[in-house]
Amino acid sequence: MTTLPTEEITWLGAGWLGDRPVDEAWRILAAGVGVGLVVIVVSYCFTLVRIAPWRRAVLCLLRFALWLALLLILAAPTRIERTYDHPTLTTRPLAVLVDRSDSMTALDNRQQRRLDEALVKWRRLEPAAAKAFSAVKSFTFAQGIVPVANPAEAGLVPTGRTDLFASLQDVLAKAPPEGWGGVVVLTDGLDTSGVEVAEARRVTARAALTSGTPLFFVVGHNRAIEPEFFRLREFNVPPKTVPHSVVRLNAIFESYQTAASTVPVRLGVSGRERPAASVRLEAGRHLATWSAEGRVEAPGTLEFELRAGTQVARAEVKVEEPPSNRVLYDEGSLDWGYRFLADILRRNDTFKVTPVFDFPNPGIALPPGAIAQLPLPAILHDFGYIVLENIAVAQMPPAQQVALTEWVNAGGILLFLTPDDAAADGFAGSELEKILPVVFGARGRSAAGESPAPAPRQPIRTGTGSPSTPVPPVIPVTPAALRSFAWEDTPRVREIFAQTPEAGIADQTPRFLNYARVDRAKPGAEILARHPAERGPDGKGAILLAVQRYGRGKSVAFTTDALWRWRLGQPSKSRGAELFWENFFAWLGRDRNTGFYFDHPTARAPVDQDVTLHLTGAEQKTLHVEAGLGEQKIAVTELPADEGSRLFRWRPPSPGLWQIEARNDETGERARAWLSADQTPKAGELPAAAPDEALLRSLAEQTSGAILDDVPTSWRRKPPPAQLLSERRQPLWHEPWFFAVLLGVYGLEMLLRRKWQLL
Amino acid sequence: MCHLCRFPTPPVETRRGFFRQLAGAAVSAGLVGTGRAARAANAGDPPPAVASSGWGRILTPHPEWDFHNDREAQVVDFIREDRSLGANMRHGVADPRNLASLCQYPFLFSFDLTDIRDAREWANLREYIYRGGFLYLDNCVHVSPNITAYRTDHLTRLTRLLPASEWRRLSDDHPIYRTRYPIKPSQLPDDAHTPDDQLRALYGVFDDDRMVALVSMAHLFCGWPERPSYVEADKKQMVNIYAYARAH
């Protein structure tokens, strides 16, 4: 960050002329000059005493000089000294990791390697990378990593196996002190080391997120052909939900086929068959997604069974009344949002609000239950939600931001509310920004991305002659001045309003006055609402509400205030604001759990390969965990716990749909997961296997990276615009010497008039 | 008529008069210049980034409904100029005949509401409170000299306005005295106009156990010129009231 003073002279910046268009103001001044000149000349042509022409000329000149000086005061030349903070864009080095395994270097029928295509793509991106990062360091990998001078260099790395995940973790671990600004991997996404892909992906994503390093992938293709297959990759079912809510199921199939085909999909809910659907598989290697949703009403357990072709998956959802929700509400500056939102949450018995009031004066009284500062990381975990409203980056030390990041990663739900550009921009590049669904730093950028946005807002200003803080103008704010959120047409938005009749959605649509501009949404974020009229840098409506999963938690960016103006403008009987917040909080927390559950268990695993299962929420409970298939029961081994989850490792001995059950004999509570075990090729190189682009894409999106085909927007990031720190205005004519000259000219004219007997 | 040149007689002016005119012109020019300079220095004030806070004076039929308007503005400035408060305060007028006008401000102030006789205006005030707004009344001995009647009348009206609400006298250790600045009630000025010590207190009107209105008998706006040493404490206590309303 550097501070630079600038100086400029402005005209017509004040007074009634300053309120007019510049052209008009200059015309008025010019007219004043002309009219004044004519009046002066005429008045001295017809003096009461006849005087010599040169004397007339001298008097005319003196009077005209006086008139010009007065007009100069009206023109108000002012020297403006401004001090700007020029934030510098700190860049970190980039690591380029080139996969030189057999699958990347095997030739196809055109004698082309996947590596060739990846390198061609990379060469196109390389100049942009050189500009965006402080340095580019290259490594090659297959079994282990080896540093090389440039990506095209082969390096002496043993092949025969691809340690994709291990190599990525290795590079992340060997980052320079400032960390990598990003890691670009030229690969086909096939890890053939025999590791458990789901677990390795989780560990790698966590390592990247912890170090704040986005992962980018350049995928290499060629015409290698593999045998046809169709298998279930993921079956995502929320482990718990609340009664009277909508449950959304999602399955991802991966397949390779030479011709397009259709596979029937059948879903059973607690033994009852639902109408059959189908999933279309296009020719080539693809991922196909299938989803379904349904309402659940009464508490209990629902068991879902999905059958698609030969693939079978099973999962259960516990329907329970919501647990008590503890909300930590931290408000950065004096605002009315807390009074209104906290009142809404307090009316709902399931929420318990703890405000944080960071009042600077000693000896003050906090409201009952309030605390003076954000609690220690260990205590943060007692809260399910944290609301940060109007927080400035100066109020949030980096260590606290890291603690919040870890808290969200462990399952917390963070709502970040700010309607202020300056406050939002302050978080650009911060630790907290890494977990939020948006990238800050849009101030001064218009929809075109270049010209300054209208009416930039200044954080601090001072002025001479006015020691007091500038008084803001009174702007009438009526309900009519508020704008409505424009909802995106997405399943997520429909889920929020699942309880609301169509006619009631307008009543529950928030209305706002101010909003903060953000640069863009992150790749993994879901935009829920946009500005109805104003455009963001991407040309679409400016983002008002976005949400993103981060680890096991969620983060929400709310670029308006806490909607208190909307609440104050709504009839007290309408309950629109109340229902919106209740629905939104319930939707955010609907898959939060108080009991234990298997956290996103893998749906499929190869026989005779280890599978790691994460059991969350069990803490110190005594558990009995076993896997079963028919009459066969196998005890599952527990590993050391990891970040709040208990880990269990198990190796399926034979194909089939295995049920893993964790049971607490004292309470009778249990959690179940099903895993389809099948025979797959053993570890080793898969030169014919198609690139696993879906895996790479999910890893990239998790870490705010991307699959690279073109230069990503994050590499084109410009330094944030300079911010005005102080401004000092000095009217140039407001000097003693100027008034002395003025007086002197006038006095001289009067003296001469006296001397020449005009007075 | 001049006999020498046959021109009209030149105006007669003494040297003293001439210098008096000259001095007047200089002073005028200086005043005009200084005024314009101040305006130039303040020109281009940015609009507030966030309309996060507000303070509205209720327009009532009372002939002196805006009494002590200057002091009220000072209080608003006091809040605004305390950077640690981070409040972007606005000061305006709210008309109870118009609900939207009331709802422009989350915090409304008045010395006396008894002149509001229209039931629709009271209904608007009730709706404003139900929506979440806060009402602050402070007795001014000039506007409402009958202090006992004032307290009884306002507390009765407000509790009738809000069914199921109740009023409570706030104890001296109530958080409203320490929400922003630690103020002891004894730091506030003694008021010779208040005969009964019990009256010199703050009374909260609670709806659903939440304070929605405050009737102050502490005369926080009164007697500033006579007791300048108390002005700071008065202002701080009003900030406490404002901050309390926001944080509860």
Side-chain angles (χ1 to χ4, degrees):
Chain A
M1 185 179 83
T2 52
T3 54
L4 284 178
T6 63
E7 215 179 271
E8 65 169 301
I9 308 287
T10 63
W11 294 79
L12 299 168
W16 64 273
L17 275 179
D19 299 335
R20 295 169 184 281
V22 177
D23 287 351
E24 186 185 325
W26 280 119
R27 270 191 224 110
I28 290 171
L29 278 181
V33 171
V35 170
L37 184 61
V38 170
V39 169
I40 291 164
V41 170
V42 169
S43 67
Y44 275 112
C45 280
F46 300 99
T47 50
L48 297 178
V49 179
R50 185 175 294 163
I51 55 174
W54 70 269
R55 287 180 175 172
R56 285 182 206 279
V58 168
L59 290 171
C60 279
L61 274 176
L62 287 171
R63 177 57 64 91
F64 188 57
L66 182 70
W67 179 237
L68 279 182
L70 290 172
L71 290 177
L72 187 68
I73 292 176
L74 272 181
T78 306
R79 179 194 291 122
I80 305 176
E81 294 170 15
R82 293 190 177 102
T83 307
Y84 287 94
D85 166 22
H86 289 268
T88 47
L89 197 62
T90 51
T91 55
R92 297 183 289 171
L94 175 78
V96 179
L97 203 51
V98 184
D99 183 350
R100 288 204 165 264
S101 63
D102 293 344
S103 64
M104 281 292 279
T105 51
L107 298 171
D108 66 3
N109 57 346
R110 298 177 306 166
Q111 303 300 303
Q112 288 289 311
R113 305 177 305 168
R114 289 175 180 167
L115 183 59
D116 297 332
E117 191 197 51
L119 282 170
V120 168
K121 285 184 188 170
W122 171 243
R123 285 194 192 104
R124 211 172 52 236
L125 302 168
E126 211 167 5
K131 282 184 190 170
F133 297 93
S134 59
V136 178
K137 300 197 173 175
S138 303
F139 302 87
T140 183
F141 78 94
Q143 289 189 50
I145 62 169
V146 174
V148 289
N150 66 70
E153 190 180 315
L156 295 171
V157 59
T159 60
R161 201 177 77 188
T162 315
D163 295 346
L164 171 64
F165 295 109
S167 301
L168 259 171
Q169 290 162 27
D170 201 10
V171 165
L172 288 168
K174 289 177 178 167
E178 69 271 30
W180 298 115
V183 175
V184 175
V185 191
L186 282 60
T187 184
D188 54 8
L190 301 174
D191 187 303
T192 59
S193 61
V195 295
E196 185 190 343
V197 173
E199 184 62 16
R201 185 179 66 177
R202 190 198 298 260
V203 172
T204 307
R206 196 174 61 205
L209 287 170
T210 307
S211 60
T213 308
L215 301 180
F216 300 93
F217 296 97
V218 178
V219 186
H221 302 86
N222 66 357
R223 290 188 179 177
I225 297 172
E226 63 178 319
E228 290 192 356
F229 70 89
F230 171 77
R231 57 180 173 246
L232 179 72
R233 184 168 183 143
E234 288 177 22
F235 185 40
N236 298 315
V237 178
K240 279 192 178 181
T241 190
V242 293
H244 315 293
S245 64
V246 176
V247 172
R248 187 174 171 81
L249 315 176
N250 167 275
I252 299 173
F253 301 99
E254 60 179 334
S255 63
Y256 175 75
Q257 53 276 315
T258 49
S261 63
T262 303
V263 176
V265 179
R266 288 182 297 151
L267 177 70
V269 183
S270 296
R272 294 174 63 183
E273 195 89 350
R274 296 241 311 195
S278 61
V279 60
R280 170 94 179 153
L281 307 174
E282 299 296 336
R285 182 162 183 156
H286 287 285
L287 287 184
T289 304
W290 168 92
S291 64
E293 61 184 35
R295 284 186 68 82
V296 291
E297 299 295 344
T301 301
L302 288 178
E303 197 175 299
F304 295 93
E305 185 178 275
L306 183 75
R307 289 180 178 274
T310 57
Q311 302 291 302
V312 183
R314 205 174 285 167
E316 68 175 12
V317 176
K318 291 179 180 174
V319 185
E320 293 177 352
E321 293 293 345
S324 171
N325 294 307
R326 292 195 66 190
V327 182
L328 188 69
Y329 199 117
D330 189 359
E331 197 174 42
S333 65
L334 194 66
D335 184 45
W336 288 88
Y338 172 75
R339 177 181 170 86
F340 286 81
L341 180 51
D343 184 50
I344 287 171
L345 295 176
R346 281 201 196 102
R347 286 169 190 269
N348 188 326
D349 293 338
T350 60
F351 288 102
K352 186 171 185 303
V353 182
T354 303
V356 181
F357 291 115
D358 183 15
F359 292 158
N361 298 328
I364 53 92
L366 292 173
I371 52 179
Q373 57 188 15
L374 270 181
L376 296 169
I379 301 177
L380 274 185
H381 290 277
D382 293 344
F383 295 94
Y385 302 85
I386 293 181
V387 180
L388 300 179
E389 190 197 353
N390 285 341
I391 296 280
V393 72
Q395 296 171 301
M396 186 70 55
Q400 217 161 49
Q401 295 186 38
V402 170
L404 280 174
T405 304
E406 288 167 0
W407 173 80
V408 175
N409 192 31
I413 296 172
L414 178 75
L415 278 85
F416 181 87
L417 291 93
T418 181
D420 186 59
D421 282 342
D425 285 355
F427 281 95
S430 67
E431 198 64 35
L432 199 62
E433 189 199 44
K434 289 175 188 165
I435 61 167
L436 291 174
V438 294
V439 177
F440 297 115
R443 199 150 66 104
R445 292 181 59 180
S446 68
E450 297 300 333
S451 58
R457 301 161 186 173
Q458 299 171 359
I460 305 168
R461 55 174 283 118
T462 56
T464 55
S466 174
S468 62
T469 310
V471 180
V474 176
I475 301 170
V477 180
T478 61
L482 304 181
R483 311 293 296 267
S484 288
F485 277 33
W487 293 114
E488 292 283 275
D489 185 18
T490 67
R492 297 281 179 257
V493 172
R494 288 193 286 276
E495 285 168 10
I496 296 171
F497 293 105
Q499 315 293 326
T500 309
E502 192 69 29
I505 291 178
D507 188 44
Q508 291 179 36
T509 293
R511 297 168 69 78
F512 67 99
L513 182 70
N514 300 102
Y515 79 102
R517 300 174 182 93
V518 300
D519 192 13
R520 61 183 184 276
K522 288 186 184 162
E526 282 192 74
I527 299 170
L528 302 180
R530 293 181 182 272
H531 196 288
E534 291 192 24
R535 304 277 149 194
D538 61 356
K540 298 177 184 170
I543 296 169
L544 298 180
L545 175 58
V547 62
Q548 174 179 275
R549 277 200 169 275
Y550 182 83
R552 289 203 298 279
K554 285 178 190 164
S555 64
V556 180
F558 225 102
T559 62
T560 69
D561 60 25
L563 307 174
W564 66 267
R565 287 192 176 283
W566 176 43
R567 178 72 193 92
L568 199 54
Q570 267 202 327
S572 57
K573 288 180 182 169
S574 84
R575 295 189 70 238
E578 199 173 327
L579 289 172
F580 166 74
W581 278 119
E582 282 180 0
N583 283 340
F584 190 59
F585 271 88
W587 175 74
L588 284 173
R590 64 186 189 147
D591 52 357
R592 287 179 58 238
N593 299 273
T594 50
F596 57 83
Y597 63 98
F598 285 106
D599 185 12
H600 293 86
T602 182
R604 189 186 138 268
V607 169
D608 281 336
Q609 279 195 26
D610 285 342
V611 177
T612 308
L613 295 155
H614 291 244
L615 192 73
T616 301
E619 282 95 33
Q620 305 298 322
K621 292 173 185 166
T622 308
L623 294 177
H624 179 70
V625 184
E626 65 176 16
L629 179 65
E631 296 299 314
Q632 195 178 358
K633 303 285 181 194
I634 302 170
V636 177
T637 320
E638 182 162 8
L639 301 174
D642 173 49
E643 282 198 358
S645 289
R646 287 172 70 171
L647 302 186
F648 295 89
R649 178 160 293 166
W650 177 66
R651 179 176 292 191
S654 59
L657 187 64
W658 288 84
Q659 174 184 297
I660 297 97
E661 182 181 82
R663 194 175 60 250
N664 183 343
D665 290 331
E666 292 168 15
T667 61
E669 189 183 359
R670 67 174 186 170
R672 292 183 298 172
W674 285 267
L675 189 150
S676 178
D678 55 15
Q679 298 284 1
T680 53
K682 290 184 179 173
E685 280 301 76
L686 309 168
D692 195 346
E693 206 162 333
L695 170 79
L696 300 177
R697 191 177 299 281
S698 74
L699 198 51
E701 286 179 353
Q702 260 185 295
T703 59
S704 300
I707 297 280
L708 295 180
D709 287 311
D710 198 359
V711 179
T713 49
S714 58
W715 292 13
R716 295 188 179 125
R717 196 170 157 204
K718 293 175 182 171
Q723 295 202 15
L724 187 64
L725 290 180
S726 65
E727 180 178 293
R728 185 169 172 273
R729 288 171 179 259
Q730 185 191 4
L732 290 176
W733 50 271
H734 191 239
E735 300 287 345
W737 63 264
F738 184 82
F739 289 102
V741 169
L742 207 71
L743 199 59
V745 169
Y746 185 65
L748 182 61
E749 185 196 345
M750 292 297 125
L751 287 171
L752 290 176
R753 285 178 64 166
R754 178 79 177 169
K755 188 176 179 186
W756 294 332
Q757 296 184 344
L758 286 176
L759 285 177
Chain B
M1 181 76 71
C2 175
H3 298 290
L4 297 173
C5 58
R6 289 184 294 172
F7 271 85
T9 311
V12 179
E13 190 173 7
T14 61
R15 183 171 285 110
R16 190 176 175 186
F18 167 68
F19 281 117
R20 191 183 293 148
Q21 281 183 11
L22 206 58
V27 169
S28 303
L31 287 176
V32 168
T34 304
R36 282 187 50 73
R39 290 187 64 185
N42 284 330
D45 288 344
V50 190
S52 59
S53 305
W55 175 300
R57 169 76 78 103
I58 300 173
L59 172 65
T60 73
H62 193 286
E64 290 182 295
W65 67 272
D66 61 346
F67 193 64
H68 284 333
N69 192 31
D70 54 333
R71 295 181 194 176
E72 189 186 1
Q74 283 184 50
V75 172
V76 173
D77 282 345
F78 184 77
I79 299 175
R80 182 166 43 232
E81 288 177 14
D82 184 342
R83 296 242 171 206
S84 68
L85 290 168
N88 208 339
M89 289 285 288
R90 286 173 178 160
H91 179 207
V93 176
D95 185 351
R97 290 169 295 188
N98 181 351
L99 181 61
S101 170
L102 293 178
C103 292
Q104 288 184 54
Y105 302 95
F107 187 94
L108 291 180
F109 166 73
S110 179
F111 282 123
D112 194 322
L113 294 178
T114 47
D115 280 295
I116 297 178
R117 306 204 194 285
D118 190 335
R120 284 169 299 183
E121 293 180 35
W122 280 104
N124 282 343
L125 284 169
R126 177 173 51 215
E127 173 67 10
Y128 167 79
I129 290 171
Y130 279 159
R131 290 182 183 192
F134 190 90
L135 209 57
Y136 166 43
L137 306 174
D138 203 307
N139 177 256
C140 171
V141 290
H142 173 82
V143 178
S144 319
N146 188 340
I147 295 166
T148 310
Y150 175 91
R151 185 195 66 164
T152 310
D153 193 16
H154 278 89
L155 291 175
T156 308
R157 279 171 190 260
L158 287 170
T159 45
R160 279 186 189 159
L161 184 69
L162 309 168
S165 68
E166 59 175 2
W167 64 264
R168 297 173 208 157
R169 183 182 185 277
L170 306 182
S171 61
D172 286 357
D173 59 351
H174 192 273
I176 204 163
Y177 292 107
R178 289 173 294 138
T179 303
R180 195 71 198 183
Y181 298 101
I183 296 281
K184 291 178 182 166
S186 57
Q187 283 179 271
L188 299 173
D190 283 330
D191 200 322
H193 300 286
T194 314
D196 180 357
D197 187 56
Q198 286 296 310
L199 291 173
R200 208 166 43 239
L202 302 181
Y203 297 86
V205 177
F206 291 81
D207 188 31
D208 201 12
D209 215 27
R210 183 192 196 209
M211 195 193 293
V212 293
L214 181 80
V215 179
S216 162
M217 307 303 294
H219 313 296
L220 296 175
F221 282 100
C222 293
W224 286 13
E226 299 86 3
R227 301 168 304 191
S229 59
Y230 286 112
V231 172
E232 180 87 355
D234 283 343
K235 287 180 179 175
K236 285 183 173 176
Q237 181 49 33
M238 276 184 273
V239 175
N240 279 341
I241 292 169
Y242 190 85
Y244 180 88
R246 184 200 63 112
H248 288 80

